[in-house]
Amino acid sequence: MAEISEAQDSDSSKLLDSDSKAPQRPDSEPEFDPKLIRKSKPGLKRLFLTFSVLFSFLLGFPFLWKSVEIYRSPLPFREIDSLSTQLRSDTLLFPLHFHALFVGFDSDPDRLRRSILSEITKLTSQNPKCSDNYTLSVTVDLGSRCLRGPTSSPHSSSYQCGSVTAAAFVQNDDVAVDERLASVFGGKTKEYSVAVVKGGSERAVVGKYRHAWMVVGDGSDVGMAAVKVAEVLVKVFINGGREEGLIRNEFMPVGADGKIVLSFNLLNADPHDWVYDWDFEKIDDTLLTPMIEALGPVANISVESQVLYHTPKASFSYWNQKLESYVFSTKDLPFFVNSNEWHLDTSIAAGGRSKILQFAVYVPSAKECPLLLQLPNGEISKTNGFISPMWGGVIVWNPQGCLKDSEFKPSAKNIIPIQDLENMFEVFIGQFRQLFGFKSLNVYTNASGDWNLLPSERGFTEWELDVLSWQHTCFNLHSCATTLGSLSRLVQSLPRMIIKDEIGKQVKLSLEAAKLALSNASSGVYESSAASSSQARSLAEDAFFDPSIMSVSYYSFEHCFAVYSPFFLPVSMHVVLAALRELKRYKQEKAKYLAWKAKANTAT
């Protein structure tokens, strides 16, 4: 029994020893907390799927941006700036050559040339935009030989000695003398000539070509003749007989597209008294067509005509017993044109930026006929007409015997006599010249005396057309540069503005035409320079006022973001936030795994 008890005691002691050793086991192993450590390495599947969705959004953004992209044709900004800089820094010079011929004078041509150049310098006004680059040659014709002033111009030898004599000026036939000088001075080159002839009755005439002449007495001073030569060269051939100089502030009669529409209207005030019609086609062929062809390089002119009825005037007239007629004064002219009753409509071709000039023949009613225009000095106007700046002109035509009502039947249609019609249209041409800034009278008065100006059957003489070409070229080039510069600044300031290929093409063609106009102007080809400058300005205006520029499709980036953000921003924000959360979770799980691994390495 004693052995059994000892065996049981030994077994119980072994159990106690094993129980006492069991709690000490965890001390040799690391503690495991799922919130702080993990035994497995975190996977990349969730992270990959989340970032795949994010990348799909990011890859779709360029396609979205491309879908809302505004098309912009490339514009030559550097060439536009270069043209503007060139016109601002360099004055546009028109080469001119003057030739002074003295017949019957025994003088030194070199001294005469210096004297004339000195006077030209005094009279020439420096224009900041455009000026003239002139040369001068002087010839003294002694009959048997010629004395010529030194000049480097190639035109100095164009005159043949003895071609002009005092005998040609004896008859006082200015038209014949003009044609004679045209044959002498005319040539391939454009030369402005002034002939001073001693002997005969004194007079001074400017021809319809590019020359003028003076006939002076035998005792006339050659120095005074030189002063007169300088005055006619500057005041007439350069300034066109106008005091303001070569270039005015604005080229009024020509539209921005280089077109003019001449609308001629025959207004019957009261058709119950009489109705008049006119043979407009004949006048158009004989008087208007030559003038339109002459002004072709300056403007594209079209002509329209119409006959209107029931067109009373807006102003009042009073009966003058002394003149036995109704009279309206110049104070009533602002109210003469009745815009409510005169429906001076033009065709659809006259739309856009074309300049429309209205010319009206007003036939008064029997109640106020004859109707005369009284000038401020109390005299009656010889033309019985007036002009309205920027609008056109009006002529009041009184029918023959309009006081005798019995000679006119109320419903009869009468034709204006062709002679009266020609006289009226000659007045209209004079009014048209005034709108261009030229004188309607054939006399130019300056400090040295009066010069008779020979008219041209085309309405404008050759030297007047040259002045218009210079003026037109200078104004159009600066207007073109200003318009293109404004377009360039506008396009660069609005990066999402639509620029169509048509606009880019117009800008390039405008620059090419402007460069051609500059080249022709510097070479003395005035007609071509005027036509090219008109084209350059018209194309620049077309590009600037293109309807697509003001389209609703151009907007700022802020506007684009405001439009599309309600569609894409909510979804994109959730995707970005989910990607950030998943990235944060992956970093935390990886940190747990690294912590467990480090602890396990430490325990072993």
Side-chain angles (χ1 to χ4, degrees), residues 532-551:
S532 300
S533 67
S534 179
Q535 183 183 10
R537 180 192 176 192
S538 177
L539 290 170
E541 295 279 346
D542 291 340
F544 187 81
F545 291 102
D546 192 278
S548 64
I549 288 184
M550 302 307 296
S551 173

Side-chain angles (χ1 to χ4, degrees), residues 108-323:
D108 182 13
D110 191 18
R111 184 174 63 85
L112 289 175
R113 181 175 178 272
R114 290 196 300 268
S115 177
I116 295 174
L117 285 176
S118 177
E119 293 295 328
I120 290 178
T121 304
K122 295 178 182 179
L123 297 174
T124 303
S125 59
Q126 295 296 330
N127 190 289
K129 294 182 178 180
C130 301
S131 185
D132 48 83
N133 182 20
Y134 56 84
T135 58
L136 174 65
S137 61
V138 177
T139 302
V140 177
D141 192 345
L142 301 177
S144 58
R145 60 191 180 92
C146 287
L147 303 177
R148 303 182 187 274
T151 177
S152 59
S153 173
H155 310 297
S156 58
S157 60
S158 60
Y159 174 75
Q160 300 295 328
C161 292
S163 300
V164 177
T165 59
F169 301 86
V170 175
Q171 301 297 329
N172 293 336
D173 187 356
D174 292 338
V175 176
V177 173
D178 189 35
E179 296 297 334
R180 171 61 182 168
L181 293 180
S183 63
V184 172
F185 296 117
K188 296 181 180 180
T189 58
K190 296 178 180 179
E191 182 182 80
Y192 299 89
S193 304
V194 181
V196 183
V197 181
K198 180 183 290 188
S201 58
E202 295 189 0
R203 67 185 186 279
V205 182
V206 178
K208 60 183 178 181
Y209 301 104
R210 296 183 178 89
H211 52 261
W213 67 91
M214 292 187 300
V215 180
V216 298
D218 293 334
S220 299
D221 183 15
V222 68
M224 183 58 65
V227 172
K228 293 182 179 181
V229 168
E231 286 185 354
V232 72
L233 289 176
V234 175
K235 296 296 184 65
V236 176
F237 288 143
I238 294 181
N239 296 343
R242 297 171 296 191
E243 298 298 331
E244 62 269 21
L246 177 63
I247 304 300
R248 292 182 296 169
N249 293 331
E250 186 174 359
F251 198 71
M252 292 297 300
V254 182
D257 56 355
K259 297 180 181 179
I260 304 177
V261 178
L262 303 181
S263 178
F264 293 91
N265 309 272
L266 177 58
L267 309 178
N268 292 276
D270 191 352
H272 295 94
D273 297 330
W274 44 62
V275 175
Y276 274 90
D277 202 349
W278 56 6
D279 188 3
F280 183 82
E281 293 183 359
K282 185 174 182 180
I283 294 298
D284 187 16
D285 294 336
T286 57
L287 294 179
L288 297 180
T289 300
M291 181 188 69
I292 293 173
E293 293 177 353
L295 292 174
V298 176
N300 182 10
I301 303 177
S302 58
V303 177
E304 298 178 354
S305 67
Q306 61 181 346
V307 179
L308 301 179
Y309 308 97
H310 299 285
T311 54
K313 61 183 178 63
S315 61
F316 297 96
S317 59
Y318 64 92
W319 175 259
N320 189 309
Q321 187 63 36
K322 183 179 179 181
L323 298 174

Side-chain angles (χ1 to χ4, degrees), residues 502-570:
E502 183 66 21
I503 297 177
K505 182 179 180 181
Q506 290 172 345
V507 171
K508 293 179 182 179
L509 292 177
S510 177
L511 289 172
E512 292 177 0
K515 293 178 182 178
L516 181 60
L518 287 171
S519 176
N520 291 330
S522 61
S523 302
V525 187
Y526 309 135
E527 294 84 357
S528 299
S529 64
S532 300
S533 67
S534 179
Q535 183 183 10
R537 180 192 176 192
S538 177
L539 290 170
E541 295 279 346
D542 291 340
F544 187 81
F545 291 102
D546 192 278
S548 64
I549 288 184
M550 302 307 296
S551 173
V552 296
S553 297
Y554 90 82
Y555 42 81
S556 62
F557 174 77
E558 291 79 5
H559 179 75
C560 180
F561 180 79
V563 169
Y564 289 99
S565 60
F567 299 97
F568 300 98
L569 189 59

Side-chain angles (χ1 to χ4, degrees), residues 74-88 481 484-485 487-489 492 507-508 511 515:
L75 296 182
F77 297 114
R78 292 185 178 179
E79 296 184 15
I80 294 175
D81 295 338
S82 176
L83 176 63
S84 301
T85 303
Q86 181 180 359
L87 291 176
R88 284 197 307 266
L484 292 180
L487 178 63
S488 174
R489 291 189 295 271
Q492 295 182 68
V507 171
K508 293 179 182 179
L511 289 172
K515 293 178 182 178

